[in-house]
Amino acid sequence: MRTHSALAVGLLVLFSAAQAEAREQDFNRGWKFHRGDPADAQQVVFDDFAWQDVRTPHDWAIAGPFDPNGDGGTGKLPWRGVGWYRKWLMLDRREEGSQVYLDFDGVMASPRVYVNGELAGEWDYGYTPFRVDITRHVRFGRANVVAVRVDTTRLYSRWYPGAGIYRQVELVVSPPLHLSHHGTQITTPTISDDEAVVVVASELENHQAKNRDAEVVVRLVGPDGAVASESAESVEVVAHDKAVVEHRFRLADPRRWDVDDPALYTAQTELRVAGHTVERRETRFGVREFAFTPDDGFWLNGRRVQIRGVNLHHDLGPLGAAFNRRAAERQLDIMQEMGVNALRTAHNPPAQEVLDLCDERGIVVWDELFDKWDGTAGRVDGEPGFDGFMQRHAASLVRRDRNHPSVVVWSVGNEIGNQPYDAEGKSRERLRTARDAFRVHDTSRPVALGCFIPQTADSDILADLDLTGWNYQRRYARFRDRFPQTPILYSETASALSTRGWYELPLPNSKCDYPSVPQVNAYEFSSAPWSDLAEVEFERLRKDSYLAGEFVWTGFDYLGEPTPFPSQARSSYFGIVDLVGLPKDRYYLYRSHWRPDVPTVHLAPHWNWSGLEGVGVPVTVYTNGDSAELFLNGRSLGVRNKGERPAALEDLAASASATASTHADGRPAGDALAAGQGRGWRPEPDDPSPVFEVDLREPRPLRTIVLEFPKESKLYGLRVEASDDGEAWETLFAKRASLEPRWGGVNELIVRTDATAQRLRVVFGPCLEGASPSLDRFAAYADDFESEYYLPTYDYRLRWNEVPYEPGELRAVAYKDGQEIGSTSVRTAGPPARLALTPDRAEIVSDGEDVSFITVSAVDADGNVCPLADNALALSLVGPGRIAGADAGDPLSVDPLQDNRVSLFHGQAVIVVRADEGLGGNLSLRVSTPGLPEASVLLSAGRPAE
Ligand code: GAL
C-alpha cells in the first residue's frame, strides 16, 4: 500500500515536472568566497560564515594588492592560487523530475563543481562556457549546497588572466524533454534581395526512459518587431537520446545585417509536449552574406568592406576580468568612435555579452579559441588527448556563438609555436583536427589561425585552413606567394607603444629606442622590436590590397605584457587608449585614417614645457584634412601638407673616401658609402680588429652619424671614433653587442654628436648570434637626421619638428581641398585650480552591475587641463552604490585598483561607480586633494525597467 502510494505520488510529480515550463535563473547573487583551499569546503555542513559575500562575475585578484616585484607579464596581481565559492540552491518540491543544470560562461581556471558534497562536473579551460548537469546530485524541496573549487596554480598566461567565477552563471531547470543547451543553429543558406532561406535547427534531448513526441514551433520576428513567419514541426525523441528538428523559412525582403545597419531578427522557439508549452527560447540572428576573397579582401552584402579592427584582451581595466556589460559596451563605444568595425577577441572566446553587443553595433568578430595549445590553454604541450580537448572546446565555443551575425571568423588559435618545426607533419594534422572540430558545428564561416612564422609557408602545414591571419611585418608575403588562393587577414598589426601624455625630447632615434624610465614616449614613434608604427602598416594595407584589413594590437591597454618593460610595469603600452580608456594621440591618428566622414583635428603635445623656453619642441597635428596651419600665440608657423616629406639632408660621407682594415672579396670600403649602392663593406673573416674609416676631407661639424648593418644593430659591439689627424682618436659613442631588445630590432644605428671632425671610424668588438663586423651603409650629417623609417609619418600626420617653445596658445586650423574642416588648440596650463568631474552617464540602473565612468581632470583657473598634474585623490561615495574601481592608466602604478584613492596621471584619472542593487537613489561622488576645493558629481541610480 505504502509502495503504491509513493509510486503514485512519484508519477504525479514526474508528470507535472514534464509539463512545467523550463526556467532560467540568474545564479550570480549570494555566493560566499574564500581564497585558499580548506578541507571539506564542498561538504554541506561547512562553516562558511566568515567567507566574503560576493556576486559573480567575480575576479578575486583584481583588488590586489599588486606585488611590485611580481611578474609584470601577468599584471603583478595575486591571481595564482586556489579559491572556493559556495552558494545555497533551493529547488521547489514541485520541480522534482526536472533536469537541473548550472551554466557557467567562464571560470578561471580548472573549476570543479560540487553539489551537496559530490563532484558534479569539472572543466579544463578558463575561457569556454560549460554546463554541469547537477540533476543527480540535487534534492528537491530542500536546500542544496553548490561549491566550486577554482584552481589557477597550473595555469600559464601571457597576460593577466583574472581568477574565479569571472563570467555569468545561470541555473536552468528544464523538463526532462527539453531544448539542448546551445542547441539552436540558425543558418541562411541562400540570400537574395527578395528572399532569404532561413533554417532553424533545434536540438532536443529526452532524459526520460520512454520515447516522447514533441512539437516545436518557431516564429521569426523581424527587426521591426513584427512576426515575419511561423511554422510548427513534430518530432519523436527516443528515450535517453537527442533529435534535431528543422524549420525552413522563406523570408521575404530580408533586411541585411551590416556594419552600417545591424538589423537583427529573432527566432522564438517554443517546445510543446502533450499540448503544453514547456520551454521558450529566443535566438537572435542576422541575414548577411560575406566572403573572404583571395585577391580582394572582405565582402559583406555584396560590397567590399575594409576590416578596421582592434585586438582586445578580456580584462576591463580596474574591473579586472570580472565581466561587466557596461564596461565592455564602453570599450566598444570608444573603439567605434575611432572608426573600428571589427574585433579580434585575443586570444580566447569573449564573454557571451560581447557578441550581443557586436551584433547590435555592427562589429564583425574574429572569434578565437586559444593562444597556443600548451600551458596557456591549460595543457602540457605534447600530452595525449589533444583531439578530445580541441573537440570539446571548439564545440563549446561554436555552439554558443554560431548564431551571432557579427562572428565571421573562427580562429583555432594564435601563434601556435610548433607549426614549422614538426617534422612528422603532426602540425598539419593537428590543424586539420582543429578545423574539423569547428566544422562539425558550423560550416558557414572560415576557420583560421593567427600565424607568425613566415617559413610555415614553405611546408603544407597551413594548407587546410580556409583563411590565414598573420601577425606583423608583412610576414604574410611568403604565404601569399605560395598559397595565392587562401585569403589573408592581417590579424595583428602595429604593436605600437606609448604612455598617454608622457612626451620626451628629443624624439627617439628608432622605433625601439625606449627611454630608460620605464615609460614610452607619447610622440608615437615607438613600437615593439618585432613590429611597426601604425603608418607603416597603413602603407602595407594600401599596397597589398588583397588583404581583408587589419586588427591593431591593441585597442585598449591591458593588464600584463608590459613590453618593453616586462619586469617593471603592470600593464601594457600597446593600447591606442590607456587602461581606463583615455585616448593616446594614436587614437586620433587611427580616427583620421579610419573615419573620413567626420573631421578630426587633434594637436600634440601639451604646451607646458617650462624650462625649455626657446627650445624646439616637435608638434604634430593629427587630422583627416590634407593640410593644416599652425599658430603660436597668433603667429603663423606655416602650413604643412600631407605627403610633404622633408628634403633629404646632405650626406657628408657621400663625397668622402673610405678605407678599412681588410676587405673581403676585394670589395672596397667605399661600397658602404652612398655611392656604393648598398653593397656594403665586409672585412676578411679572420680580421683580428676590423676597422672602417672615413675621411671627410676637411673638418666638418657633425650632428648625426648613421650606421646600417646587415642584421639588427643590437648584435654588433662597436665604437665610433673621431679624429682630425688620424692619430688621436676620441670616442663619440660605444656599445656592446646585446640580445636586447628581444625578438627583433632595427638594423640602423643613429649616433648623435656635437663633434667637429675630419676622420671618423668604426672599431668593431665582439658581435653576437652570427653577426660579424660589417657595414651596409655609413652616412654622416651636419644636422639632425631622422631615420627614413619615419618618412611615412609625414603622409598621415602633419609635423612641425621644431617649434621654439614659448608659453601661450598653440592653435591648428585644418583644411581639406582648401576648405577649413576644423580647428583646435592647446594652451599652457597654469597650476591646478580645481578638479573637473565628467561622468560618461549621469543616470545608471540600480541593478548591482551598471556603472558610470567618471573622468577626473585637474584644470587651471581657465579650465585648461593641467597635463602634468599628478595629485593624489581621496574618493568617497555617498548613497546606495560603491566605488568599483579607479585608475589613471599609468603602466607603472601599483596602487590598488579598487580603493578610495587614486592619483592623477598626466592630469587625469577615471573612477568607476557602481549602483547597488535595489531601489536606487542619488549617488554623490566626492573627490578631494590637498590644496584644491573638494569636487563632487551627482549620479542618479534608477530601478531597472520591469
Ligand atoms: C604577438 C602575440 C600577441 C602579443 C603581441 C605583442 O606576437 O600574438 O599576443 O603578445 O605579440 O606585440
Side-chain angles (χ1 to χ4, degrees), residues 487-509:
I488 298 176
L489 182 44
Y490 208 175
S491 42
E492 281 178 43
T493 60
S495 268
L497 302 166
S498 52
T499 303
R500 175 181 60 80
W502 200 90
Y503 302 94
E504 192 195 46
L505 304 182
L507 295 178
N509 290 328

Side-chain angles (χ1 to χ4, degrees), residues 158-159 313 344 346-347 371-372 414-415 452 471-472 475 492 495 528 530-531 553 558 561 563 574:
R158 298 193 300 115
W159 55 85
H313 270 315
R344 177 176 181 226
H347 297 296
D371 180 38
K372 328 285 179 195
N414 174 60
E415 298 192 348
F452 73 132
N471 297 351
Y472 308 115
R475 292 179 187 154
E492 281 178 43
S495 268
W530 53 84
S531 62
W553 192 271
Y558 50 96
E561 212 184 18
T563 303
F574 292 120

Side-chain angles (χ1 to χ4, degrees), residues 427-457:
S427 298
R428 180 174 184 182
E429 220 174 82
R430 280 184 163 196
L431 277 178
R432 207 183 297 133
T433 303
R435 182 203 65 186
D436 293 347
F438 280 75
R439 285 191 181 169
V440 170
H441 307 283
D442 177 49
T443 52
S444 72
R445 295 164 175 91
V447 179
L449 167 73
C451 310
F452 73 132
I453 300 176
Q455 295 86 319
T456 322

Side-chain angles (χ1 to χ4, degrees), residues 99 176-178 204-214 235-244:
Q99 288 292 118
L177 171 62
H178 63 81
L204 310 176
E205 50 194 63
N206 180 5
H207 291 265
Q208 287 169 304
K210 59 176 185 174
N211 301 356
R212 298 296 306 254
D213 291 323
V235 62
E236 185 190 38
V237 194
V238 171
H240 297 299
D241 205 351
K242 293 183 178 171
V244 175

